[in-house]
Amino acid sequence: FIAQELSHFVTNPGPVHFAAARRVLANIRGRIGQGITFHGSDRVLKERYDHRHMLLGACDSDFSHVGLKSTSSVVVMMNGGPIYHAARRQSTVSAHTGEAEVKAAAAITEILSSIVPLWCELTGVVHPPVRCLIDNVTAKKQVENGVDTPAAASYHKHVRYVESRVYSCLLWFDPVPGSEN
């Protein structure tokens, strides 16, 4: 969290920011043998699909029924622990929950397009398609099968983007009910 906060001032740091950065480095130096580790149980990490040492994604959105912009939330996990999380306000108002969820699927696809090649470079192994949890069956069908209706014209570019990454085997979507996602 503090690294993210300090990154806001990277172009114009002041003495306060340098002092904070020194405190962070001193804290890390004092705890060099410690760290955040996620030791998920084999039962959890092999539930439904074995994803030990594999990336796992999840995306969701909060559809606003009163005409406000929705928020997309995405998380990428490894061994049961989050390695990336983002929540972004969508740039346009969604007409229905399927549209908001497709925009969230586009957000996780964008993130995985960067993280998967890095993972492959670090491990020297090709990562299989990343399992992404999604709780909207309509959005899942749209990004896997495409949609060519006039009602979907406003978010058609999101559908095409995700669909192209699904077909290139970057990721696949696994429908998981909202209470379990």
Side-chain angles (χ1 to χ4, degrees):
F1 175 77
I2 194 66
Q4 176 190 352
E5 289 298 308
L6 287 172
S7 72
H8 292 273
F9 305 99
V10 73
T11 58
N12 191 15
V16 174
H17 307 112
F18 281 110
R22 283 189 194 100
R23 282 194 306 274
V24 169
L25 292 174
N27 190 326
I28 292 171
R29 186 175 48 241
R31 293 176 168 83
I32 202 72
Q34 300 175 356
I36 298 174
T37 57
F38 302 98
H39 301 286
S41 69
D42 280 337
R43 184 188 65 77
V44 171
L45 291 175
K46 292 181 179 180
E47 184 178 336
R48 293 184 77 187
Y49 307 98
D50 185 5
H51 50 272
R52 180 171 289 286
H53 307 302
M54 295 291 173
L55 298 172
L56 174 70
C59 63
D60 201 7
S61 71
D62 67 336
F63 176 65
S64 172
H65 293 278
V66 292
L68 300 174
K69 293 178 182 175
S70 300
T71 302
S72 296
S73 293
V74 299
V75 63
V76 178
M77 297 173 279
M78 180 180 272
N79 293 340
I83 60 170
Y84 180 88
H85 174 267
R88 300 182 200 158
R89 179 77 57 197
Q90 295 178 355
S91 59
T92 57
V93 176
S94 298
H96 51 83
T97 186
E99 179 179 351
E101 293 285 340
V102 166
K103 291 176 184 176
I108 190 75
T109 302
E110 177 186 357
I111 299 306
L112 288 173
S113 294
S114 299
I115 291 178
V116 169
L118 176 63
W119 186 93
C120 293
E121 185 177 328
L122 292 173
T123 62
V125 179
V126 176
H127 197 286
V130 177
R131 175 184 177 212
C132 289
L133 310 178
I134 191 168
D135 64 355
N136 188 293
V137 177
T138 302
K140 177 189 180 311
K141 287 180 182 176
Q142 288 182 359
V143 298
E144 290 180 345
N145 303 324
V147 60
D148 289 327
T149 63
S154 63
Y155 64 100
H156 192 57
K157 67 179 180 181
H158 297 288
V159 173
R160 283 194 318 260
Y161 174 68
V162 178
E163 184 182 23
S164 70
R165 296 298 194 253
V166 168
Y167 285 127
S168 70
C169 295
L170 173 70
L171 71 159
W172 62 281
F173 290 95
D174 189 11
V176 177
S179 59
E180 298 174 27
N181 191 351

